[in-house]
Amino acid sequence: MKTGGRTASFTLSDVIEAGIRIGLVRLSMQGVADALGVTTAALYRHVAGRSALETLIGEAILDKLKLVDDPAEPAAAHLASFAMQLRRFTLGHPGTAQYLQRLFPRGPSGLRLLEHQIVALGRRGYDPAAAVALSSSMATMAIGATVAEQERASLLGTPAVEEALAVMAGSELLRQASAGIPDHTPEDYFVFLITAAAEGLVARLPPGHPVPRTAS
């Protein structure tokens, strides 16, 4: 977008499109400027800095997440479904889980997701405070588990993994435990974890009850 030594004009929409193409994992002011064919100084006229750029692109990506609510599902099943939708979306959009983990909500797309959950759990007898408490708890677990899953996947085939497997192989107790665990995928484990968590949260905070002051 540079012609005759002069920088061509570009819009905030151009910045968003370039940022989405680059993705949150590799996002940088320099990268977006290069993609647009402009200087970083020119980009700063539209975006205040790296943090503002991440929010701009993160919110644009989150806008693509349309949560589905089946009214026939009871509260625990709904919460588990919410967590599964978060996992699948964030795995399909690398860097989004980390974006959500650092600070949420940051903008209108994140706010929309929270409001969706308030309405969905309101149909199941929860007031807004309880809905936010339940949804935030599930999101924290879902996003944390997804980030950990992505990090483990990035280590596959590395010496660190081989060393960890060798350590485990040296324990008779761990060998016995591993033999009793059926073959499973990361998603199988996630479903096991998140279903148990949803059931436990609903048991601790049933519909119509106020948010407890402590977890005891």
Side-chain angles (χ1 to χ4, degrees):
M1 297 179 69
K2 294 179 180 177
T3 58
R6 299 178 61 187
T7 301
S9 63
F10 63 100
T11 67
L12 192 61
S13 293
D14 295 323
V15 174
I16 293 172
E17 289 176 6
I20 290 175
R21 287 197 302 271
I22 291 168
L24 286 170
V25 173
R26 299 186 300 109
L27 187 68
S28 69
M29 294 290 284
Q30 186 65 59
V32 172
D34 290 345
L36 293 173
V38 301
T39 64
T40 53
L43 184 58
Y44 274 105
R45 290 198 288 270
H46 288 275
V47 186
R50 172 64 176 78
S51 178
L53 178 65
E54 182 184 63
T55 298
L56 182 69
I57 305 307
E59 292 301 303
I61 292 173
L62 276 184
D63 188 55
K64 302 176 186 296
L65 173 55
K66 309 300 181 185
L67 293 173
V68 177
D69 172 31
D70 179 356
E73 288 182 331
H78 166 77
L79 289 170
S81 173
F82 166 61
M84 284 298 303
Q85 290 178 67
L86 284 179
R87 175 184 180 272
R88 288 168 181 160
F89 182 84
T90 53
L91 285 178
H93 298 80
T96 313
Q98 290 81 353
Y99 172 81
L100 290 167
Q101 191 177 53
R102 281 190 286 273
L103 182 63
F104 180 83
R106 295 198 214 179
S109 294
L111 185 61
R112 174 181 57 81
L113 299 179
L114 267 182
E115 290 177 340
H116 174 278
Q117 282 300 98
I118 290 173
V119 172
L121 287 169
R123 298 189 191 103
R124 294 165 171 87
Y126 287 98
D127 66 22
V132 169
L134 288 172
S135 299
S136 297
S137 297
M138 291 301 295
T140 296
M141 286 183 279
I143 293 163
T146 303
V147 169
E149 180 181 336
Q150 291 172 324
E151 291 179 351
R152 285 193 298 272
S154 71
L155 292 174
L156 289 177
T158 66
V161 172
E162 297 303 319
E163 291 171 8
L165 291 174
V167 169
M168 293 176 64
S171 167
E172 177 61 28
L173 283 176
L174 277 177
R175 287 200 299 274
Q176 292 176 11
S178 297
I181 299 175
D183 290 338
H184 63 280
T185 66
E187 182 166 315
D188 293 332
Y189 174 73
F190 185 89
V191 170
F192 169 76
L193 171 69
I194 224 67
T195 300
E199 291 171 352
L201 284 169
V202 170
R204 183 70 180 89
L205 180 53
H209 286 237
V211 178
R213 289 184 176 275
T214 68
S216 60

